[in-house]
């Protein structure tokens, strides 16, 4: 078993091109470095460095050994950083974007989190448009999609699933309901997909009946708020997560249309930069949200 410090010393000597330069970088006497590297060579039974008063050359086996030393030193430094982070009380500010329909749910989770971490601050950004996490300096974004986006620079963590329902203004709902589910193909519609052209809604009804409703929306927008407002104004039938229009359903501004027909669930998930180097406070907040969303009744009475 090698002494970690000897590996670190040897790595520094090779990286700095000599004992004197490594001594200055580490603030360790040159004589100590030379002695420790010599002891390492004796223990290994090989010559790692050819050295004299005029020459410094790393041997072939020394170069191969150094490559492994770099990995070992880096791993040890990461392990030390993890321990240090665990001993340091998370503090600072977490910037999080959240769809307006989920703000109340997230707000309910704040008191416990802030109670556990008294030096933490949370900046909750209520917005229904997709947020560019990196460009807008957001630590974590809460999203609801029928499918997960793919981005190598970001990490995704699924939290829960929400129902997507058909909604319309009362007047439009009465007219469409009288014609039946297939009327959606010809009635005005609204889409939160943001895609141009023809859209297809897949619906499952009583006794497993299936419908694929193809339609060209009058309005497409990735902002739930814009689609919700257009639906309230009677501009078309929309399909939104139930939590995104709960207040309007309670007030009667919107009607749940064809409740016996259900669509694909929305995936409630978090988006955040790659896990490497994630601040302890952000990691703690992500874990807290994941725990909170595991509650099976999280969307009840919303």
């Amino acid at each position: 078993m090698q002494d970690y410090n000897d590996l670190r010393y040897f790595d520094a000597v090779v990286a700095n091109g000599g004992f004197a330069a490594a001594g200055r970088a580490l603030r360790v006497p040159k004589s100590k470095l030379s002695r420790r590297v010599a002891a390492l060579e004796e223990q290994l039974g090989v010559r790692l460095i050819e050295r004299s008063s005029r020459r410094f050359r790393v041997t072939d086996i020394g170069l191969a050994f150094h490559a492994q030393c770099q990995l070992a030193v880096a791993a040890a430094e990461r392990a030390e950083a993890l321990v240090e982070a665990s001993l340091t009380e998370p503090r600072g500010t977490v910037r999080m974007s959240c769809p307006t329909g989920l703000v109340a749910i997230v707000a309910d989770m704040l008191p416990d989190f802030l109670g556990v971490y008294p030096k933490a601050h949370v900046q909750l950004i209520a917005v229904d448009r997709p947020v560019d996490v990196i460009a807008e300096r957001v630590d974590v974004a809460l999203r609801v999609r029928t499918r997960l986006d793919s981005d190598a620079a970001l990490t995704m963590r699924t939290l829960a699933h929400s129902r997507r329902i058909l909604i319309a203004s009362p007047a439009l709902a009465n007219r469409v309901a009288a014609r039946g589910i297939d009327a959606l193909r010809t009635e005005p519609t609204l889409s939160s997909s943001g895609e141009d052209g023809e859209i297809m809604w897949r619906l499952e009804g009583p006794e497993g009946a299936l419908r694929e409703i193809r339609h060209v929306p009058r309005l497409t927008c990735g902002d739930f708020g814009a689609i919700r407002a257009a639906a309230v104004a009677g501009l078309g039938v929309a399909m939104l997560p139930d939590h995104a229009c709960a207040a309007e359903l309670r007030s009667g501004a919107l009607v749940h249309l064809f409740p016996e027909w259900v669509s694909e669930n929305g995936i409630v998930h978090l988006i955040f930069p790659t896990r490497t180097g994630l601040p302890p406070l952000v990691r703690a907040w992500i874990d807290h949200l994941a725990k909170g969303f595991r509650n099976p009744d999280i969307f009840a009475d919303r």
Side-chain angles (χ1 to χ4, degrees):
M1 182 69 69
Q2 305 302 324
D3 187 310
Y4 165 68
N5 283 325
D6 287 349
L7 300 182
R8 187 167 65 93
Y9 292 154
F10 175 69
D11 173 55
V13 169
V14 175
N16 287 277
F19 290 91
R24 289 191 293 271
L26 295 177
R27 297 184 180 180
V28 173
K30 173 185 173 182
S31 58
K32 180 177 180 179
L33 292 180
S34 180
R35 186 170 64 252
R36 295 311 307 164
V37 170
L40 181 61
E41 290 176 320
E42 182 177 354
Q43 184 177 5
L44 293 172
V46 294
R47 193 72 164 172
L48 299 173
I49 299 174
E50 297 289 352
R51 52 199 183 274
S52 67
S53 59
R54 296 182 178 181
R55 187 179 184 187
F56 176 91
R57 185 183 73 85
V58 184
T59 65
D60 290 343
I61 188 63
L63 290 172
F65 185 72
H66 176 249
Q68 299 304 313
C69 280
Q70 287 180 303
L71 297 176
V73 170
E77 289 176 348
R78 287 196 298 270
E80 291 173 354
L82 286 174
V83 173
E84 183 179 354
S86 69
L87 297 175
T88 302
E89 181 181 2
R91 65 184 66 197
T93 300
V94 178
R95 282 172 49 84
M96 175 181 174
S97 67
C98 176
T100 56
L102 289 176
V103 168
I105 293 174
V106 173
D108 286 345
M109 301 181 192
L110 280 171
D112 287 344
F113 180 76
L114 295 177
V116 173
Y117 302 107
K119 296 182 180 180
H121 302 267
V122 177
Q123 183 179 359
L124 192 59
I125 305 165
V127 58
D128 286 320
R129 65 174 175 80
V131 170
D132 187 325
V133 174
I134 296 176
E136 299 183 48
R137 297 183 298 107
V138 171
D139 296 306
V140 58
L142 185 61
R143 293 181 180 174
V144 184
R145 299 286 186 274
T146 56
R147 59 182 181 273
L148 298 180
D149 300 326
S150 178
D151 191 325
L154 299 174
T155 299
M156 280 161 278
R157 182 167 179 177
T158 299
L159 300 179
H161 292 82
S162 67
R163 285 194 312 157
R164 296 174 66 84
I165 63 174
L166 294 166
I167 56 170
S169 65
L172 180 57
N174 287 336
R175 188 179 82 202
V176 176
R179 296 181 58 202
I181 189 69
D182 291 317
L184 293 176
R185 295 188 173 94
T186 55
E187 290 287 351
T189 57
L190 313 166
S191 173
S192 62
S193 69
E195 299 175 3
D196 294 330
E198 187 179 71
I199 300 294
M200 182 171 68
W201 287 339
R202 292 183 176 87
L203 301 167
E204 182 175 349
E207 300 180 358
L210 298 176
R211 288 288 193 283
E212 290 186 349
I213 307 296
R214 297 181 182 275
H215 58 104
V216 178
R218 298 183 68 190
L219 171 67
T220 62
C221 181
D223 186 323
F224 288 162
I227 297 299
R228 183 175 57 239
V232 170
L235 298 183
V237 177
M239 182 182 290
L240 286 177
D242 51 4
H243 60 77
C245 49
E248 289 75 14
L249 290 171
R250 285 194 295 267
S251 69
L254 290 174
V255 173
H256 184 179
L257 187 61
F258 301 121
E260 68 277 15
W261 290 87
V262 297
S263 179
E264 185 179 8
N265 285 339
I267 306 170
V268 183
H269 60 287
L270 296 175
I271 299 288
F272 50 94
T274 179
R275 296 178 187 273
T276 304
L278 202 63
L281 183 63
V282 176
R283 186 180 298 278
W285 176 235
I286 290 172
D287 290 342
H288 183 75
L289 289 172
K291 181 180 178 181
F293 272 92
R294 281 198 293 268
N295 179 355
D297 299 323
I298 191 70
F299 295 119
D301 301 322
R302 297 292 177 180

